[in-house]
Amino acid sequence: LIAAALMVATASVGVAQWTSSRADGHAPLGVMGEHTHEKGEIMLSYRYMLMYMEDSRVGTEKVSDASIVDPAGFGFMITPTTMPMQMHMLGAMYAPADIMTLALGVPVVVLGMDHMTRTAGTFSTSSKGIGDLKLTGLIQLPKWDRQSVHLTAGVSLPTGSISKMDVTPASAPNETQLPYPMQTGSGTWDLIGGVTYLGGQVDNVSWGFQGMGTFRLNTNSHDYKQGNHYMGTGWLGYLFVKQISLSLRGVINRVENIKGADPALVSLESVVPTARTNLRAGTRADLGIGLNAYVMSGPFRGLRLAVEGLLPVYQKLDGPQLEVDFTLIAGAQYTIF
């Protein structure tokens, strides 16, 4: 629907030159690496993301926690019930040339998970730490007919942990290895690649599309590798005034299952779904709305404040697996001209 509206707008109205010096000059905050910079420009950014997960799903159908731990149901001893995932992302971008922008992303991850046991007991685990650093280069292709395309290529470094531990009822008072969703890193060198299209800004309307993929290059030191991740998104922005804009966005994420298995978790595969490598894949479609504010003059010229909220409209999971309830992203970007 969003794509159709944008194509109609492009065909019927003359496209103006894209400029970043207005509130919709960047994509919604949840889109990473969607713009390049001119030679010498520096941009610093901070994003806070909260993804909240509750209830489990098999395919497109919800399943109860009781059925997951029922011996006559899925037969697990334990099931996760909720999981808030928080991430603080520090970013920096620098353009050594008009055709090349370098980007660095440093994530700090805070994870929590509540569980229910077959005997109706409850317990929680948590982990936190630095995630996998992202180093990318954005290559600006020649612009045509006032439109813009750039390519993204880079790597994700295995700086996050795959050895996070915590105390569980079965291990108390000792700590034990936590399942895959509670680790802050992948443990592998990953290739990042994608393409971004900016169609221009027509009067008070702007739009764009992005496709991005993360590809696991090797097996980590715990004998597994996370599944590849594919993402496609399109957005539409509306400018109320040059300082304030609203955005609408659609996004589809596809994650593949884990290949291999951590030897420390093999014994838990029949105990809890999060230890199963074949229950991590899924496809999710979200719709989001965002608000952006841009400072155009004064000592804070180039500062952009933004918030975006997304709700899932479709989820199909290899499960039982926790489904996403909502995602919230808030942050700031400051361009040094």
Side-chain angles (χ1 to χ4, degrees), residues 3-337:
L6 299 186
M7 287 189 288
V8 171
T10 302
S12 60
V13 184
V15 178
Q17 178 65 46
W18 184 280
T19 174
S20 61
S21 298
R22 56 188 240 183
D24 65 341
H26 297 313
L29 192 62
V31 185
M32 303 291 292
E34 92 303 343
H35 68 280
T36 60
H37 287 273
E38 296 180 358
K39 181 179 179 179
E41 285 187 351
I42 297 173
M43 191 187 81
L44 305 177
S45 64
Y46 166 76
R47 288 175 173 87
Y48 169 77
M49 184 187 78
L50 170 63
M51 178 182 288
Y52 185 77
M53 289 164 273
E54 184 174 7
D55 299 326
S56 292
R57 187 175 292 240
V58 176
T60 59
E61 301 296 323
K62 286 189 177 185
V63 294
S64 67
D65 296 333
S67 71
I68 298 174
V69 297
D70 187 341
F74 292 95
F76 291 99
M77 298 292 295
I78 300 168
T79 182
T81 56
T82 65
M83 181 180 181
M85 185 189 79
Q86 301 178 73
M87 183 173 67
H88 304 270
M89 175 67 80
L90 302 175
M93 302 180 78
Y94 169 68
D98 287 340
I99 63 170
M100 172 65 73
T101 298
L102 304 177
L104 168 67
V106 183
V108 178
V109 183
V110 181
L111 304 171
M113 184 176 285
D114 297 326
H115 303 78
M116 185 182 79
T117 68
R118 182 175 292 177
T119 58
T122 60
F123 69 95
S124 299
T125 57
S126 63
S127 65
K128 61 182 178 180
I130 192 170
D132 291 344
L133 270 67
K134 308 292 192 296
L135 294 173
T136 55
L138 282 60
I139 305 165
Q140 180 67 60
L141 299 182
K143 299 178 182 180
W144 81 101
D145 197 21
R146 297 180 182 179
Q147 299 176 74
S148 174
V149 173
H150 69 264
L151 305 179
T152 298
V155 294
S156 174
L157 283 64
T159 52
S161 175
I162 57 172
S163 302
K164 290 293 183 180
M165 305 179 75
D166 202 356
V167 178
T168 68
S171 71
N174 301 314
E175 292 187 332
T176 189
Q177 174 89 31
L178 291 175
Y180 305 103
M182 294 297 291
Q183 301 302 324
T184 62
S186 67
T188 57
W189 290 81
D190 305 329
L191 178 66
I192 301 170
V195 59
T196 303
Y197 166 77
L198 301 178
Q201 295 163 322
V202 178
D203 297 329
N204 289 2
V205 178
S206 61
W207 60 85
F209 302 97
Q210 184 184 82
M212 198 71 64
T214 301
F215 307 92
R216 316 298 179 179
L217 298 181
N218 64 291
T219 299
N220 62 30
S221 59
H222 286 202
D223 299 333
Y224 72 90
K225 63 178 178 179
Q226 296 282 353
N228 293 337
H229 179 198
Y230 310 95
M231 185 278 298
T233 186
W235 64 90
L236 176 67
Y238 181 79
L239 194 70
F240 293 103
V241 294
K242 286 189 176 181
Q243 296 88 349
I244 303 291
S245 71
L246 182 73
S247 65
L248 298 175
R249 183 161 74 99
V251 55
I252 298 177
N253 283 280
R254 170 65 186 171
V255 178
E256 297 177 341
N257 274 316
I258 295 171
K259 295 182 179 179
D262 189 328
L265 298 175
V266 171
S267 63
L268 298 178
E269 289 181 349
S270 61
V271 177
V272 62
T274 50
R276 289 271 295 274
T277 58
N278 64 335
L279 300 181
R280 308 311 320 149
T283 300
R284 189 180 81 250
D286 295 342
L287 289 179
I289 185 169
L291 185 65
N292 313 280
Y294 182 76
V295 180
M296 300 187 65
S297 61
F300 294 105
R301 173 178 175 260
L303 175 65
R304 176 175 176 258
L305 304 176
V307 62
E308 184 182 27
L310 298 108
L311 294 175
V313 294
Y314 173 83
Q315 294 186 74
K316 185 177 182 181
L317 308 177
D318 290 3
Q321 183 184 155
L322 284 175
E323 66 178 21
V324 174
D325 279 19
F326 68 86
T327 303
L328 176 66
I329 308 163
Q333 298 166 304
Y334 180 56
T335 300
I336 303 172
F337 297 96

